[in-house]
mmCIF file of all heavy atoms in Angstrom:
data_model
loop_
_atom_site.group_PDB
_atom_site.id
_atom_site.type_symbol
_atom_site.label_atom_id
_atom_site.label_comp_id
_atom_site.label_asym_id
_atom_site.label_seq_id
_atom_site.Cartn_x
_atom_site.Cartn_y
_atom_site.Cartn_z
ATOM 1 N N ARG G 1 -10.369 9.501 -10.630
ATOM 2 C CA ARG G 1 -10.248 8.079 -10.846
ATOM 3 C C ARG G 1 -8.826 7.723 -11.321
ATOM 4 O O ARG G 1 -8.292 8.334 -12.239
ATOM 5 C CB ARG G 1 -11.275 7.588 -11.875
ATOM 6 C CG ARG G 1 -12.699 7.712 -11.415
ATOM 7 C CD ARG G 1 -13.663 7.054 -12.380
ATOM 8 N NE ARG G 1 -13.377 5.632 -12.520
ATOM 9 C CZ ARG G 1 -14.102 4.803 -13.284
ATOM 10 N NH1 ARG G 1 -15.142 5.281 -13.944
ATOM 11 N NH2 ARG G 1 -13.814 3.527 -13.359
ATOM 12 N N VAL G 2 -8.229 6.730 -10.689
ATOM 13 C CA VAL G 2 -6.913 6.232 -11.069
ATOM 14 C C VAL G 2 -6.968 4.702 -11.082
ATOM 15 O O VAL G 2 -7.961 4.088 -10.710
ATOM 16 C CB VAL G 2 -5.815 6.729 -10.084
ATOM 17 C CG1 VAL G 2 -5.677 8.245 -10.153
ATOM 18 C CG2 VAL G 2 -6.145 6.293 -8.654
ATOM 19 N N ARG G 3 -5.846 4.099 -11.513
ATOM 20 C CA ARG G 3 -5.752 2.641 -11.505
ATOM 21 C C ARG G 3 -5.155 2.166 -10.190
ATOM 22 O O ARG G 3 -4.478 2.894 -9.492
ATOM 23 C CB ARG G 3 -4.876 2.184 -12.670
ATOM 24 C CG ARG G 3 -5.453 2.502 -14.063
ATOM 25 C CD ARG G 3 -4.510 2.078 -15.145
ATOM 26 N NE ARG G 3 -3.219 2.799 -14.994
ATOM 27 C CZ ARG G 3 -2.141 2.549 -15.764
ATOM 28 N NH1 ARG G 3 -2.212 1.610 -16.695
ATOM 29 N NH2 ARG G 3 -1.027 3.233 -15.593
ATOM 30 N N LEU G 4 -5.381 0.861 -9.878
ATOM 31 C CA LEU G 4 -4.837 0.276 -8.662
ATOM 32 C C LEU G 4 -3.318 0.298 -8.703
ATOM 33 O O LEU G 4 -2.665 0.516 -7.660
ATOM 34 C CB LEU G 4 -5.366 -1.159 -8.512
ATOM 35 C CG LEU G 4 -4.780 -1.941 -7.320
ATOM 36 C CD1 LEU G 4 -5.085 -1.260 -6.010
ATOM 37 C CD2 LEU G 4 -5.323 -3.389 -7.352
ATOM 38 N N ARG G 5 -2.743 0.125 -9.895
ATOM 39 C CA ARG G 5 -1.290 0.159 -10.014
ATOM 40 C C ARG G 5 -0.722 1.475 -9.573
ATOM 41 O O ARG G 5 0.330 1.545 -8.915
ATOM 42 C CB ARG G 5 -0.898 -0.140 -11.464
ATOM 43 C CG ARG G 5 0.602 -0.187 -11.719
ATOM 44 C CD ARG G 5 1.255 -1.274 -10.918
ATOM 45 N NE ARG G 5 2.701 -1.274 -11.087
ATOM 46 C CZ ARG G 5 3.543 -2.025 -10.373
ATOM 47 N NH1 ARG G 5 3.038 -2.835 -9.457
ATOM 48 N NH2 ARG G 5 4.826 -1.990 -10.596
ATOM 49 N N GLU G 6 -1.402 2.567 -9.902
ATOM 50 C CA GLU G 6 -0.926 3.899 -9.497
ATOM 51 C C GLU G 6 -0.999 4.059 -7.984
ATOM 52 O O GLU G 6 -0.095 4.658 -7.382
ATOM 53 C CB GLU G 6 -1.756 4.965 -10.211
ATOM 54 C CG GLU G 6 -1.591 4.926 -11.724
ATOM 55 C CD GLU G 6 -2.508 5.943 -12.393
ATOM 56 O OE1 GLU G 6 -3.209 6.665 -11.672
ATOM 57 O OE2 GLU G 6 -2.515 5.994 -13.654
ATOM 58 N N ILE G 7 -2.071 3.527 -7.353
ATOM 59 C CA ILE G 7 -2.171 3.596 -5.885
ATOM 60 C C ILE G 7 -1.060 2.795 -5.259
ATOM 61 O O ILE G 7 -0.405 3.238 -4.284
ATOM 62 C CB ILE G 7 -3.529 3.087 -5.427
ATOM 63 C CG1 ILE G 7 -4.664 3.993 -5.972
ATOM 64 C CG2 ILE G 7 -3.634 3.000 -3.915
ATOM 65 C CD1 ILE G 7 -4.683 5.380 -5.381
ATOM 66 N N VAL G 8 -0.767 1.591 -5.773
ATOM 67 C CA VAL G 8 0.296 0.746 -5.216
ATOM 68 C C VAL G 8 1.628 1.412 -5.335
ATOM 69 O O VAL G 8 2.461 1.431 -4.396
ATOM 70 C CB VAL G 8 0.278 -0.632 -5.890
ATOM 71 C CG1 VAL G 8 1.481 -1.476 -5.459
ATOM 72 C CG2 VAL G 8 -1.013 -1.390 -5.558
ATOM 73 N N GLU G 9 1.938 2.006 -6.501
ATOM 74 C CA GLU G 9 3.224 2.681 -6.657
ATOM 75 C C GLU G 9 3.353 3.876 -5.725
ATOM 76 O O GLU G 9 4.426 4.137 -5.161
ATOM 77 C CB GLU G 9 3.363 3.152 -8.123
ATOM 78 C CG GLU G 9 3.517 2.003 -9.108
ATOM 79 C CD GLU G 9 3.569 2.503 -10.560
ATOM 80 O OE1 GLU G 9 3.378 3.726 -10.747
ATOM 81 O OE2 GLU G 9 3.810 1.677 -11.449
ATOM 82 N N LEU G 10 2.250 4.607 -5.524
ATOM 83 C CA LEU G 10 2.274 5.743 -4.609
ATOM 84 C C LEU G 10 2.546 5.267 -3.164
ATOM 85 O O LEU G 10 3.347 5.871 -2.439
ATOM 86 C CB LEU G 10 0.969 6.521 -4.690
ATOM 87 C CG LEU G 10 0.826 7.749 -3.772
ATOM 88 C CD1 LEU G 10 1.866 8.795 -4.153
ATOM 89 C CD2 LEU G 10 -0.576 8.330 -3.841
ATOM 90 N N LEU G 11 1.903 4.180 -2.764
ATOM 91 C CA LEU G 11 2.115 3.683 -1.404
ATOM 92 C C LEU G 11 3.487 3.039 -1.243
ATOM 93 O O LEU G 11 4.087 3.123 -0.154
ATOM 94 C CB LEU G 11 1.012 2.642 -1.078
ATOM 95 C CG LEU G 11 -0.409 3.191 -1.012
ATOM 96 C CD1 LEU G 11 -1.420 2.078 -0.766
ATOM 97 C CD2 LEU G 11 -0.548 4.266 0.073
ATOM 98 N N GLU G 12 3.999 2.423 -2.303
ATOM 99 C CA GLU G 12 5.349 1.869 -2.225
ATOM 100 C C GLU G 12 6.375 2.970 -2.004
ATOM 101 O O GLU G 12 7.371 2.762 -1.297
ATOM 102 C CB GLU G 12 5.674 1.093 -3.507
ATOM 103 C CG GLU G 12 5.040 -0.275 -3.546
ATOM 104 C CD GLU G 12 5.426 -1.026 -4.818
ATOM 105 O OE1 GLU G 12 6.077 -0.377 -5.684
ATOM 106 O OE2 GLU G 12 5.123 -2.201 -4.935
ATOM 107 N N ALA G 13 6.157 4.136 -2.602
ATOM 108 C CA ALA G 13 7.098 5.237 -2.397
ATOM 109 C C ALA G 13 7.119 5.684 -0.932
ATOM 110 O O ALA G 13 8.143 6.185 -0.436
ATOM 111 C CB ALA G 13 6.735 6.418 -3.291
ATOM 112 N N GLY G 14 6.018 5.501 -0.229
ATOM 113 C CA GLY G 14 5.965 5.847 1.204
ATOM 114 C C GLY G 14 6.093 4.674 2.114
ATOM 115 O O GLY G 14 5.788 4.792 3.313
ATOM 116 N N ASN G 15 6.492 3.498 1.554
ATOM 117 C CA ASN G 15 6.656 2.275 2.349
ATOM 118 C C ASN G 15 5.345 1.880 3.032
ATOM 119 O O ASN G 15 5.301 1.446 4.189
ATOM 120 C CB ASN G 15 7.767 2.424 3.394
ATOM 121 C CG ASN G 15 8.211 1.074 3.965
ATOM 122 O OD1 ASN G 15 7.996 0.048 3.347
ATOM 123 N ND2 ASN G 15 8.812 1.113 5.153
ATOM 124 N N LEU G 16 4.248 2.051 2.306
ATOM 125 C CA LEU G 16 2.932 1.696 2.859
ATOM 126 C C LEU G 16 2.272 0.565 2.102
ATOM 127 O O LEU G 16 1.160 0.149 2.483
ATOM 128 C CB LEU G 16 2.008 2.914 2.828
ATOM 129 C CG LEU G 16 2.447 4.122 3.664
ATOM 130 C CD1 LEU G 16 1.483 5.273 3.478
ATOM 131 C CD2 LEU G 16 2.523 3.751 5.151
ATOM 132 N N ALA G 17 2.871 0.097 1.043
ATOM 133 C CA ALA G 17 2.268 -0.944 0.230
ATOM 134 C C ALA G 17 2.786 -2.304 0.643
ATOM 135 O O ALA G 17 3.998 -2.519 0.790
ATOM 136 C CB ALA G 17 2.580 -0.704 -1.250
ATOM 137 N N ASP G 18 1.890 -3.255 0.809
ATOM 138 C CA ASP G 18 2.240 -4.627 1.119
ATOM 139 C C ASP G 18 3.144 -4.712 2.346
ATOM 140 O O ASP G 18 4.122 -5.472 2.378
ATOM 141 C CB ASP G 18 2.903 -5.288 -0.091
ATOM 142 C CG ASP G 18 2.886 -6.818 0.023
ATOM 143 O OD1 ASP G 18 2.108 -7.319 0.858
ATOM 144 O OD2 ASP G 18 3.627 -7.464 -0.734
ATOM 145 N N ASN G 19 2.843 -3.915 3.382
ATOM 146 C CA ASN G 19 3.635 -3.893 4.616
ATOM 147 C C ASN G 19 2.875 -4.737 5.626
ATOM 148 O O ASN G 19 1.777 -4.399 6.082
ATOM 149 C CB ASN G 19 3.800 -2.464 5.108
ATOM 150 C CG ASN G 19 4.835 -2.360 6.250
ATOM 151 O OD1 ASN G 19 5.061 -3.336 6.952
ATOM 152 N ND2 ASN G 19 5.431 -1.181 6.380
ATOM 153 N N ALA G 20 3.500 -5.875 5.992
ATOM 154 C CA ALA G 20 2.819 -6.816 6.897
ATOM 155 C C ALA G 20 2.637 -6.263 8.284
ATOM 156 O O ALA G 20 1.772 -6.726 9.043
ATOM 157 C CB ALA G 20 3.588 -8.136 6.963
ATOM 158 N N PHE G 21 3.440 -5.241 8.646
ATOM 159 C CA PHE G 21 3.369 -4.704 9.992
ATOM 160 C C PHE G 21 2.740 -3.311 10.018
ATOM 161 O O PHE G 21 2.894 -2.580 10.973
ATOM 162 C CB PHE G 21 4.772 -4.667 10.622
ATOM 163 C CG PHE G 21 5.398 -6.032 10.714
ATOM 164 C CD1 PHE G 21 6.317 -6.438 9.759
ATOM 165 C CD2 PHE G 21 5.035 -6.903 11.711
ATOM 166 C CE1 PHE G 21 6.886 -7.714 9.831
ATOM 167 C CE2 PHE G 21 5.609 -8.158 11.781
ATOM 168 C CZ PHE G 21 6.548 -8.572 10.831
ATOM 169 N N LEU G 22 2.112 -2.947 8.909
ATOM 170 C CA LEU G 22 1.414 -1.663 8.891
ATOM 171 C C LEU G 22 0.200 -1.729 9.800
ATOM 172 O O LEU G 22 -0.134 -0.763 10.468
ATOM 173 C CB LEU G 22 1.027 -1.306 7.454
ATOM 174 C CG LEU G 22 0.379 0.061 7.266
ATOM 175 C CD1 LEU G 22 1.328 1.177 7.666
ATOM 176 C CD2 LEU G 22 -0.077 0.220 5.823
ATOM 177 N N PHE G 23 -0.491 -2.881 9.837
ATOM 178 C CA PHE G 23 -1.623 -3.103 10.728
ATOM 179 C C PHE G 23 -1.271 -4.277 11.641
ATOM 180 O O PHE G 23 -1.104 -5.408 11.157
ATOM 181 C CB PHE G 23 -2.877 -3.428 9.927
ATOM 182 C CG PHE G 23 -3.285 -2.328 9.003
ATOM 183 C CD1 PHE G 23 -2.892 -2.316 7.696
ATOM 184 C CD2 PHE G 23 -4.077 -1.288 9.474
ATOM 185 C CE1 PHE G 23 -3.265 -1.299 6.848
ATOM 186 C CE2 PHE G 23 -4.432 -0.257 8.633
ATOM 187 C CZ PHE G 23 -4.027 -0.243 7.310
ATOM 188 N N ILE G 24 -1.106 -4.009 12.916
ATOM 189 C CA ILE G 24 -0.733 -5.020 13.899
ATOM 190 C C ILE G 24 -1.995 -5.409 14.647
ATOM 191 O O ILE G 24 -2.611 -4.619 15.370
ATOM 192 C CB ILE G 24 0.337 -4.503 14.872
ATOM 193 C CG1 ILE G 24 1.586 -4.122 14.088
ATOM 194 C CG2 ILE G 24 0.661 -5.568 15.923
ATOM 195 C CD1 ILE G 24 2.674 -3.508 14.946
ATOM 196 N N GLY G 25 -2.414 -6.674 14.457
ATOM 197 C CA GLY G 25 -3.623 -7.148 15.084
ATOM 198 C C GLY G 25 -3.394 -7.638 16.496
ATOM 199 O O GLY G 25 -2.292 -7.584 17.043
ATOM 200 N N GLN G 26 -4.479 -8.116 17.071
ATOM 201 C CA GLN G 26 -4.424 -8.621 18.453
ATOM 202 C C GLN G 26 -3.534 -9.849 18.515
ATOM 203 O O GLN G 26 -3.655 -10.785 17.720
ATOM 204 C CB GLN G 26 -5.845 -8.947 18.908
ATOM 205 C CG GLN G 26 -5.946 -9.376 20.365
ATOM 206 C CD GLN G 26 -7.370 -9.632 20.781
ATOM 207 O OE1 GLN G 26 -8.276 -9.554 19.944
ATOM 208 N NE2 GLN G 26 -7.581 -9.926 22.039
ATOM 209 N N GLY G 27 -2.571 -9.877 19.450
ATOM 210 C CA GLY G 27 -1.684 -10.991 19.660
ATOM 211 C C GLY G 27 -0.405 -10.948 18.863
ATOM 212 O O GLY G 27 0.472 -11.779 19.082
#
């Protein structure tokens, strides 16, 4: 178990946090 802040910091280090183009939808 970890905090959400720790997950966000881990994803930010890999440029995966709050990335608008990480998931490209239809259109």
Side-chain angles (χ1 to χ4, degrees):
R1 293 187 62 177
V2 294
R3 297 176 299 174
L4 176 60
R5 181 62 183 172
E6 298 176 1
I7 296 292
V8 172
E9 291 177 354
L10 180 63
L11 295 176
E12 282 182 352
N15 195 21
L16 298 177
D18 199 15
N19 191 334
F21 301 99
L22 184 62
F23 299 95
I24 300 175
Q26 185 177 3

